[in-house]
Amino acid sequence: DIPDALCERDKVKFTVHTKTTLSSFQKPEYSVQRQHEDFIWLHDTIVETEEYAGLIIPPAPPKPDFEGPREKMHKLGEGESSMTKEEYAKMKQELEAEYLAVFKKTVQVHEVFLQRLSSHPMFRKDRNFQIFLEYDQDLTVRRKNAKEMFGGFFKNMVKSADEVLISGVKEVDEFFEQEKNFLLDYSSKIKDATAKAEKMTRSHKNVADDYNHISGALNNIAADNNTAFKKHLEKCAEVFEKLRKVEDRMASDQELKLTELLRYYTRDIQAAKDLLYRRARALADYENSNKALDKARLKGKDVAQAEENQKQCLQKFDKLSESGKKELTSFKARRVVAFRKNLIEMTELEIKHAKNSVSLLQGSIEVLKSN
Amino acid sequence: ERPKNGCPPTFTIQPDRTGEDLQGGMAEDPQIQTHGCIRSKGGDGMNAYMAYKVSTQTSLTMFHSKTFTVRRRFSDFLGLYEKLSEKHLQNGYIVPPPPEKSILGMTKVKVGKEDPSSAEFVERRRAALERYLQRVVSHPSLLQDPDVREFLEKEELPRAVSTQALSGAGFLKMLNKATDAVSKMTIKMNEQDVWFDEKIQDVENEEQHMRKLHVMVESLVNHRKELSGNTAVFAKSVAMLGSSEDNTALSRALSQLAEVEDRIEQLHQEQAANDFFTFSELLADYIRLLGAVKGCFDQRMKAWQRWQDAENMLQKKREVEAKLLWANKPDKLQQAKDEIAEWEAKVTQYEREFERISATVRKEVIRFDKEKARDFKRQIIKYLESLLNSQQQLIKYWEAFLPEAKAIA
């Protein structure tokens, strides 16, 4: 797990803490510092490992995005002179809350990545994974230099061409035919749902922010007044301030449980699609090797070589199909479990927050009525 | 409540608190209802006008019956304001300002656009007119005015002549200009007026703060509407996702989630309406009212100025008399003495008027403050209750969903 993460200027340093009983590790417990780029390195080395072609590779965690809070901080700095002390304090509060939310999210997502690896029978034995967990110095990460980045770019281009390949390949296996159709459809729907969830959460946060501002403005009016009017306004301002906290938590919990879930599975579905693509490629290779063998037989040249090639292609394809089937089936189960857990947690949290709001509002209404 | 398309909406203003009256007299204020319906007169389109049904229920004996209904146009309301301000403003009364004219909004309605924004506009105006009338009749002195009675009772009112310059905004602009002119005069008020000095400053500050608050509440209304829209869109997306999900239980749970989000969208929409009608409009009303209070102070200022000018004139006349005495012109002397007597009388009159208007303004402002505190308290409670209701509904929806989520296998 990742019990702690520090943000130092631009980079986030994650403290990765491991407890293990595996004999391959030297010690039962480890604690190392890793940066986001280290996670990416680990992910990429796993992707590039031929052995794992038949497995769904856990998607890489996205880069920590502090753009939102950073923008706010900038605005805060610029507007400092033109704001009242209260306004400034409020904006600072907002900023801290947003920062915390982003932080929580990024820690969660990096943690989940490592947990996926460690719970998979094959990945947990991966040498690089062990290094990642054990090595107590800074990993001299081979950051993708320009050439490699270029390579990556091409890889992606080829991949999208292969989407066509996947859909075009004649599927003999019923299971894979169904999976293919399902994944293609689900993939676009879940991407859409993620985007819409993000918009919804954003609006919710805006409402919470407004509560904050309204609270401040009410206090401003109250400050210049005395008498009963002042008391009513102050009470109202207090309510808004507290409500704002609740609404904010409602919005961020919904984001953490629902939006993040959707985001994560969008990526995971993509990883499943990648598996299909690799298998489709292997199938194409196999079909090509068949054609090559036929050609060689016709020509009477290099037949043995062609036969060997064909045998290897078939082997690879079969291996991918077998492990692919296993992976996709367990993926289904995993997805359902994750959705269930998150939906339950989200619902329980929303109920909790709403109940808080209710008691807060009831209390305030009582006070106002009795005054 | 919102108007359904086609039928005249029905609303009841909360009856004013009975038995409370600063001037001791009225035991009950009339209850007023305002409905809106569109009526064509001599053609469609731009010649159509909106007529509002004004229903009054009262037990006051000065009215001809206990319940009665009349039809009034928006310009009639403006006309009423014109008449009342002509008569009472100069005495230092706070005359409630009517809602503002809106050419664009009204044109859309006249042209017969059946979209939600024109329905919203009509509702907004109707509610504002209702609040306007309620404020007028809860003012003990204004209620006595025969024009008010005529407005409520008389079958046909003569069309208000020219209400262009006198729409709420127009009139306030006039008042503001007067304010500027007055503040440019170097006026030195005496000791007694410290209360007034402080008060006018308070009013200025309050108006400024209220404007800021109003802007924020408007922002809240917009964001909540946005949230409502985005929630609806999200609901549809989740429904799509659910339909493509191959696990049956999860698929059902997702479509249930979509339904919950749909209901939540409805909640947000209703809350946005509450944000607007209960909170935002309250602030808009009071910003206008504070403008009217400032106008009040200006009237007092004018009265003071008139008195001072008379004093100065009297002084001049006395100087003239002194000069004439010295120059020994007996024929002109009588005239001078007459003028002095004239101006002495004026000085006395204006001084008395100034004192009277000061007393009225003071009483009016105290009454206004009490009303304001009561109004805000009532509306804040109403608004918080709407939020409370919304949250309670939310709990119901989520609690209904929870077993669905748990049923996923």
Side-chain angles (χ1 to χ4, degrees):
Chain A
D1 64 333
I2 302 184
D4 192 25
L6 279 172
C7 190
E8 285 178 25
R9 271 183 276 152
D10 281 341
K11 302 230 177 268
V12 185
K13 283 206 160 78
F14 299 92
T15 305
V16 178
H17 175 249
T18 319
K19 264 203 181 128
T20 179
T21 51
L22 287 178
S23 52
S24 48
F25 285 84
Q26 291 179 358
K27 293 194 286 189
E29 214 171 309
Y30 288 96
S31 203
V32 294
Q33 298 256 340
R34 292 290 174 251
Q35 294 182 15
H36 171 74
E37 284 76 15
D38 300 332
F39 287 76
I40 300 300
W41 164 80
L42 179 59
H43 173 260
D44 287 346
T45 57
I46 290 180
V47 165
E48 283 160 20
T49 309
E50 190 65 38
E51 262 184 77
Y52 302 139
L55 307 174
I56 297 180
I57 309 208
K63 197 172 158 128
D65 176 22
F66 288 99
E67 195 50 49
R70 209 167 284 155
E71 239 186 82
K72 262 204 165 102
M73 185 152 71
H74 191 65
K75 260 197 243 171
L76 192 68
E78 281 193 339
E80 183 169 357
S81 45
S82 59
M83 281 191 243
T84 65
K85 218 165 51 161
E86 293 81 25
E87 283 175 349
Y88 186 75
K90 275 212 193 299
M91 267 212 85
K92 210 163 145 231
Q93 249 184 356
E94 264 176 41
L95 178 65
E96 283 170 5
E98 204 172 304
Y99 206 76
L100 193 66
V102 173
F103 210 63
K104 249 186 178 175
K105 253 193 313 183
T106 195
V107 167
Q108 174 173 305
V109 117
H110 283 76
E111 207 173 59
V112 164
F113 173 67
L114 292 179
Q115 283 168 344
R116 280 279 297 273
L117 289 178
S118 62
S119 57
H120 194 287
M122 293 225 51
F123 291 133
R124 67 151 69 116
K125 293 193 227 134
D126 183 84
R127 186 71 199 123
N128 286 321
F129 185 42
Q130 282 197 354
I131 294 175
F132 181 92
L133 293 177
E134 280 186 317
Y135 194 61
D136 58 0
Q137 307 275 318
D138 265 330
L139 290 175
T140 46
V141 177
R142 287 183 309 132
R143 305 282 161 82
K144 285 195 167 183
N145 55 36
K147 192 157 103 178
E148 284 189 45
M149 280 202 90
F150 210 53
F153 173 70
F154 268 123
K155 237 194 342 205
N156 284 331
M157 283 237 340
V158 169
K159 229 202 254 180
S160 44
D162 280 312
E163 279 236 358
V164 179
L165 181 70
I166 301 179
S167 19
V169 153
K170 256 243 309 249
E171 200 45 77
V172 189
D173 192 329
E174 181 65 31
F175 173 82
F176 281 101
E177 177 67 22
Q178 269 188 345
E179 277 308 299
K180 176 185 77 182
N181 290 331
F182 168 71
L183 283 177
L184 286 177
D185 183 36
Y186 201 76
S187 164
S188 63
K189 302 248 165 74
I190 198 172
K191 231 195 240 165
D192 184 58
T194 308
K196 306 283 158 68
E198 284 175 346
K199 267 184 119 171
M200 184 175 74
T201 311
R202 183 102 289 274
S203 296
H204 206 158
K205 295 232 171 105
N206 284 340
V207 168
D209 279 349
D210 283 336
Y211 279 4
N212 203 14
H213 297 147
I214 289 175
S215 174
L218 282 168
N219 272 326
N220 278 340
I221 303 184
D224 281 345
N225 252 280
N226 21 36
T227 72
F229 188 50
K230 175 189 177 102
K231 272 204 230 116
H232 299 328
L233 289 180
E234 281 180 342
K235 192 74 192 138
C236 196
E238 189 190 317
V239 172
F240 269 102
E241 164 111 28
K242 296 205 177 123
L243 272 183
R244 174 236 155 195
K245 291 206 181 98
V246 178
E247 287 291 326
D248 202 47
R249 245 168 251 148
M250 261 187 178
S252 51
D253 280 341
Q254 190 173 60
E255 173 161 42
L256 217 58
K257 298 291 167 191
L258 188 56
T259 314
E260 272 301 301
L261 172 75
L262 292 171
R263 269 196 209 116
Y264 186 75
Y265 276 93
T266 306
R267 287 197 296 271
D268 221 5
I269 294 268
Q270 186 59 45
K273 273 165 69 182
D274 287 346
L275 169 58
L276 280 188
Y277 136 73
R278 289 193 292 268
R279 179 176 168 276
R281 273 229 109 163
L283 181 59
D285 285 345
Y286 172 60
E287 286 177 349
N288 286 339
S289 74
N290 265 338
K291 290 196 193 120
L293 181 57
D294 288 342
K295 241 208 252 171
R297 283 201 175 128
L298 269 175
K299 283 204 186 140
K301 257 180 36 175
D302 300 319
V303 174
Q305 198 179 28
E307 276 180 347
E308 184 58 35
N309 188 25
Q310 189 237 34
K311 202 165 84 180
Q312 279 190 354
C313 283
L314 182 59
Q315 262 182 358
K316 181 170 171 199
F317 176 66
D318 281 339
K319 183 167 149 222
L320 283 188
S321 297
E322 190 189 319
S323 83
K325 206 176 213 156
K326 254 200 299 196
E327 285 282 297
L328 287 171
T329 312
S330 67
F331 170 65
K332 236 186 251 304
R334 201 159 28 89
R335 190 180 77 244
V336 172
V337 165
F339 267 75
R340 179 177 187 277
K341 174 167 176 279
N342 276 349
L343 285 177
I344 292 176
E345 283 177 0
M346 178 191 75
T347 307
E348 288 176 339
L349 281 168
E350 295 295 293
I351 292 175
K352 180 176 119 183
H353 293 320
K355 285 192 170 152
N356 277 343
S357 292
V358 163
S359 61
L360 168 67
L361 286 165
Q362 276 173 336
S364 307
I365 293 174
E366 276 307 309
V367 171
L368 277 171
K369 277 188 170 158
S370 66
N371 253 339
Chain B
E1 293 173 54
R2 281 349 231 326
K4 304 181 195 89
N5 277 336
C7 15
T10 320
F11 305 83
T12 323
I13 300 187
Q14 282 137 335
D16 278 320
R17 43 282 154 213
T18 56
E20 281 179 277
D21 190 347
L22 297 170
Q23 299 196 327
M26 312 300 132
E28 277 167 48
D29 298 303
Q31 275 184 323
I32 298 192
Q33 289 183 351
T34 320
H35 315 238
C37 59
I38 198 148
R39 236 224 225 131
S40 260
K41 201 149 195 176
D44 293 294
M46 292 312 292
N47 286 329
Y49 63 89
M50 175 72 89
Y52 298 90
K53 273 199 199 134
V54 180
S55 310
T56 315
Q57 218 177 310
T58 178
S59 57
L60 293 171
T61 49
M62 67 183 186
F63 291 100
H64 294 142
S65 52
K66 284 207 185 325
T67 53
F68 41 90
T69 303
V70 292
R71 281 198 153 72
R72 296 288 178 253
R73 299 175 53 161
F74 183 67
S75 50
D76 295 330
F77 288 82
L78 295 181
L80 176 65
Y81 174 72
E82 178 188 337
K83 291 190 194 125
L84 290 178
S85 50
E86 250 173 39
K87 285 190 262 179
H88 300 287
L89 210 66
Q90 67 213 22
N91 294 326
Y93 287 101
I94 302 175
V95 181
E100 274 148 33
K101 259 188 167 195
S102 165
I103 303 171
L104 181 62
M106 211 46 213
T107 311
K108 281 214 280 195
V109 176
K110 286 184 185 183
V111 168
K113 266 187 107 180
E114 274 292 330
D115 64 63
S117 70
S118 50
E120 225 180 85
F121 174 79
V122 171
E123 173 48 25
R124 180 180 182 176
R125 173 164 280 190
R126 187 215 58 81
L129 290 174
E130 204 173 75
R131 290 193 307 271
Y132 166 64
L133 279 184
Q134 197 60 55
R135 289 210 174 88
V136 169
V137 301
S138 16
H139 194 300
S141 312
L142 292 181
L143 183 56
Q144 296 300 320
D145 190 312
D147 279 326
V148 172
R149 237 175 295 156
E150 191 179 78
F151 183 89
L152 292 175
E153 278 189 317
K154 198 160 180 204
E155 196 57 40
E156 285 281 334
L157 269 191
R159 279 284 313 271
V161 175
S162 156
T163 49
Q164 241 130 6
L166 292 157
S167 72
F171 195 88
L172 284 179
K173 270 200 205 116
M174 262 171 55
L175 277 184
N176 284 334
K177 280 206 203 106
T179 318
D180 292 334
V182 160
S183 53
K184 282 187 191 126
M185 298 187 243
T186 46
I187 299 176
K188 221 171 166 234
M189 284 273 194
N190 49 27
E191 248 287 297
Q192 207 176 11
D193 303 304
V194 154
W195 186 89
F196 289 94
D197 265 346
E198 286 178 0
K199 249 319 162 190
I200 188 70
Q201 196 53 51
D202 285 347
V203 169
E204 287 274 355
N205 289 342
E206 196 163 88
E207 187 190 346
Q208 259 190 21
H209 288 318
M210 239 181 238
R211 276 183 198 276
K212 283 202 192 129
L213 178 60
H214 185 229
V215 165
M216 285 160 193
V217 176
E218 287 194 314
S219 165
L220 175 64
V221 173
N222 286 332
H223 282 148
R224 223 193 280 274
K225 281 189 180 157
E226 232 178 63
L227 176 59
S228 169
N230 286 340
T231 307
V233 165
F234 175 66
K236 286 201 184 76
S237 183
V238 171
M240 293 289 289
L241 188 64
S243 69
S244 107
E245 172 61 57
D246 59 356
N247 177 298
T248 334
L250 180 54
S251 170
R252 194 177 56 234
L254 285 174
S255 60
Q256 294 287 52
L257 179 63
E259 267 186 49
V260 170
E261 293 289 348
D262 240 342
R263 286 192 206 119
I264 291 180
E265 179 247 330
Q266 193 57 31
L267 270 186
H268 286 315
Q269 239 189 28
E270 284 166 12
Q271 189 53 52
N274 269 315
D275 291 340
F276 182 71
F277 283 103
T278 312
F279 202 359
S280 179
E281 286 285 80
L282 170 74
L283 293 170
D285 279 355
Y286 270 91
I287 291 171
R288 274 200 305 271
L289 278 167
L290 286 171
V293 172
K294 284 201 294 194
C296 217
F297 279 86
D298 291 340
Q299 292 299 318
R300 177 177 171 270
M301 200 67 100
K302 278 206 213 137
W304 184 85
Q305 196 60 44
R306 206 168 28 217
W307 170 30
Q308 294 305 308
D309 290 346
E311 291 262 20
N312 289 339
M313 191 57 91
L314 178 62
Q315 185 62 26
K316 284 201 188 101
K317 297 296 179 190
R318 288 206 171 119
E319 283 168 9
V320 164
E321 185 200 34
K323 279 201 199 122
L324 286 178
L325 275 171
W326 195 83
N328 201 16
K329 290 202 181 138
D331 46 329
K332 294 231 176 102
L333 206 55
Q334 187 51 45
Q335 186 191 1
K337 282 206 195 298
D338 287 341
E339 281 182 358
I340 288 177
E342 180 193 341
W343 280 100
E344 275 177 343
K346 280 202 177 140
V347 164
T348 315
Q349 179 196 349
Y350 289 159
E351 181 177 2
R352 228 178 271 141
E353 275 176 10
F354 174 71
E355 276 163 9
R356 197 192 54 203
I357 198 179
S358 294
T360 305
V361 167
R362 198 181 190 121
K363 199 163 54 178
E364 283 285 280
V365 169
I366 291 174
R367 180 183 167 273
F368 173 76
D369 277 344
K370 277 211 177 85
E371 283 268 306
K372 183 178 67 180
R374 244 193 314 243
D375 236 348
F376 266 78
K377 176 174 171 174
R378 187 182 60 216
Q379 292 298 98
I380 288 174
I381 290 178
K382 186 167 172 204
Y383 181 66
L384 292 182
E385 283 179 339
S386 79
L387 285 178
L388 174 64
N389 189 30
S390 184
Q391 294 294 315
Q392 284 169 328
Q393 282 296 93
L394 209 65
I395 293 177
K396 278 208 193 94
Y397 294 154
W398 284 120
E399 281 183 339
F401 176 70
L402 192 56
E404 288 292 336
K406 289 190 168 159
I408 302 172

